[in-house]
Amino acid sequence: MTLEDFQTAGLEDGQVRRNIGTKQVTTQAMMEISKLAELRKLLQSMERSLGLQDLSPVERDVYYAASEISKSDEEVRTVLLIEHSLLQTVSRPTFFRALKSLVNKGYLSQGRASNRGRYLVHQPRS
């Protein structure tokens, strides 16, 4: 709609400018959401091709965090995992359930050291 269309509808100039601004913001937000949807579809496709689609969202986040941390270290320490940005909103009990599940499914294994709290990351089964 143009400025004249709003004025014809009986809106004052200030209301018109707010409505036009709101419409532009809404259109921009919808374009951003559309881009996010495309990224989400791409992510899901990649997860399927790697065999990660059967993991819960928390399990995937723990696995992603462990994979990222293990780039710099051979073993991943639980302390570093808990502090990872992907896991900041995950409660400790949920985190440890997901960690145990990943070990049971073969995505992670206990580290070679006798210390607890160290894990090795394994390639996903595709």
Side-chain angles (χ1 to χ4, degrees), residues 10-12 27 31 33-34 36 39-40 47 50 57-61 64-65 84-86 95 100 108 125:
L11 296 174
E12 294 180 17
T27 302
M31 288 181 358
I33 291 170
S34 179
L36 283 173
L39 284 171
R40 184 84 166 100
E47 288 171 344
L50 291 171
V58 175
E59 289 171 337
R60 281 194 298 262
D61 286 345
Y64 294 152
H84 194 279
S85 61
L86 288 174
F95 168 79
K100 181 178 179 180
L108 301 176
R125 294 171 258 129

Side-chain angles (χ1 to χ4, degrees), residues 97-115:
R97 276 192 301 273
L99 190 63
K100 181 178 179 180
S101 177
L102 288 169
V103 169
N104 291 338
K105 293 176 180 179
Y107 289 94
L108 301 176
S109 64
Q110 290 283 332
R112 291 182 286 268
S114 60
N115 292 358

Side-chain angles (χ1 to χ4, degrees), residues 17-59:
R17 295 192 193 289
R18 279 192 300 278
N19 287 341
I20 290 174
T22 301
K23 184 173 176 82
Q24 288 171 343
V25 169
T26 301
T27 302
Q28 183 177 3
M30 293 308 293
M31 288 181 358
E32 294 296 317
I33 291 170
S34 179
K35 289 177 188 176
L36 283 173
E38 288 298 315
L39 284 171
R40 184 84 166 100
K41 290 190 305 189
L42 177 61
L43 178 62
Q44 285 179 332
S45 173
M46 293 175 73
E47 288 171 344
R48 271 191 303 279
S49 70
L50 291 171
L52 300 175
Q53 75 278 0
D54 293 331
L55 298 179
S56 73
V58 175
E59 289 171 337

Side-chain angles (χ1 to χ4, degrees), residues 73-121:
D73 236 358
E74 187 174 309
E75 292 182 336
V76 178
R77 295 178 53 214
T78 306
V79 174
L80 295 175
L81 277 174
I82 290 173
E83 295 173 354
H84 194 279
S85 61
L86 288 174
L87 303 170
Q88 288 180 346
T89 60
V90 176
S91 70
R92 286 181 66 83
T94 300
F95 168 79
F96 283 105
R97 276 192 301 273
L99 190 63
K100 181 178 179 180
S101 177
L102 288 169
V103 169
N104 291 338
K105 293 176 180 179
Y107 289 94
L108 301 176
S109 64
Q110 290 283 332
R112 291 182 286 268
S114 60
N115 292 358
R116 291 176 45 181
R118 295 179 184 267
Y119 295 88
L120 295 170
V121 179

